Amino acid sequence: MSRASDRAYDEIKARILNGALAPGAQLKEEELAEICGVSRTPVRDAMHRLEAEMFIQRSDSQRSFVSDWSIEDIEELFTLRTMLESHAAAQAAERVTPEMLVRLHDNVAAIDAAIDRPLPDVDGFLLKNAQFHALITQAAASDRLAHMINRLVLQPIVHRTALRYDADQLRRSLAEHVEIVAALEARDPEWARAIMTSHIRRAFHVHRSEHPG
């Protein structure tokens, strides 16, 4: 991919995440090219990437829109993600290496630092939270499983949900991460599976409470 394509990708994705491009909004190449300061070709490349990542949906008439998921769609995706990530956590408990456990502890410490301040660093939390889940999947040591999980991690949904977290909810999320790591250290796959299941289901219910429609 070209630098112009990467720049367009970053700009469009950022605008989707911050709500400047709202769910359901139609996306026009010429308007996005002007916003991003690039030609239409890199915008087209960027939109293909974002469509593959489910940030963008294409209609039967080939018009592009910011993905607008119904609560039923989101619940189904969270259900599938729960099944896969809980399995990944269980598998990680049997395969995790000492080096990976060190990385997970460092990640948990970074999340703690991001939220342990008068005004929590939600962007820092989001980055380290995504890294935590990626590390668990990596520890499971299954390329097939990783590919399936990556298709179901809806970053726009995760981002919007986390923006609604209050300090107590951020600490609850951190505590669940700590317990997942403890389960991995104990080499207890069922404990790891149970905590990851409740962790993701809780996130879904936070999202549903803020987006009941």
Side-chain angles (χ1 to χ4, degrees):
M1 291 291 178
S2 68
R3 292 178 63 183
S5 175
D6 289 340
R7 186 164 72 251
Y9 170 86
D10 290 340
E11 179 66 27
I12 297 168
K13 181 177 178 180
R15 286 172 177 263
I16 292 173
L17 289 174
N18 66 25
L21 293 172
Q26 185 176 354
L27 302 172
K28 298 180 179 179
E29 289 180 7
E30 59 272 20
E31 293 177 0
L32 292 174
E34 184 175 350
I35 289 170
C36 299
V38 299
S39 68
R40 291 177 62 175
T41 298
V43 165
R44 193 175 300 118
D45 291 340
M47 290 176 69
H48 284 311
R49 290 171 63 185
L50 290 164
E51 184 180 356
E53 295 172 5
M54 297 192 289
F55 284 82
I56 290 174
Q57 295 173 321
R58 193 180 300 272
S59 70
D60 292 340
S61 60
Q62 297 305 300
R63 291 186 297 172
S64 295
F65 299 86
V66 177
S67 295
D68 187 9
W69 300 89
S70 71
I71 195 64
E72 290 80 11
D73 292 333
I74 292 169
E75 182 167 20
E76 181 178 42
L77 288 162
F78 265 95
T79 297
L80 293 170
R81 183 183 166 197
T82 300
M83 294 168 61
L84 292 171
E85 287 209 52
S86 62
H87 176 66
Q91 194 156 284
E94 298 176 335
R95 300 180 177 181
V96 68
T97 65
E99 293 78 14
M100 180 60 75
L101 286 170
V102 170
R103 294 174 66 185
L104 285 164
H105 278 293
D106 288 345
N107 176 276
V108 167
I111 292 176
D112 193 8
I115 66 178
D116 189 22
R117 53 182 67 188
L119 184 62
D121 177 7
V122 176
D123 286 338
F125 167 82
L126 280 164
L127 175 63
K128 295 301 178 181
N129 178 71
Q131 290 176 354
F132 177 87
H133 286 270
L135 288 171
I136 297 296
T137 302
Q138 185 178 341
S142 169
D143 291 341
R144 183 181 301 106
L145 184 58
H147 176 75
M148 295 173 70
I149 289 172
N150 289 338
R151 292 286 295 172
L152 292 172
V153 178
L154 299 179
Q155 288 305 320
I157 303 302
V158 173
H159 188 94
R160 291 171 193 150
T161 301
L163 289 176
R164 300 291 185 173
Y165 276 9
D166 59 23
D168 288 343
Q169 288 168 326
L170 290 170
R171 296 304 268 173
R172 175 76 176 274
S173 181
L174 172 63
E176 289 163 351
H177 284 203
V178 169
E179 190 168 358
I180 289 168
V181 176
L184 266 58
E185 286 184 312
R187 305 286 176 173
D188 188 328
E190 293 311 313
W191 183 15
R193 186 193 306 275
I195 300 304
M196 184 64 82
T197 296
S198 62
H199 180 62
I200 297 175
R201 292 307 300 174
R202 184 180 63 82
F204 166 69
H205 285 288
V206 170
H207 178 87
R208 187 168 70 174
S209 69
E210 297 293 342
H211 305 81

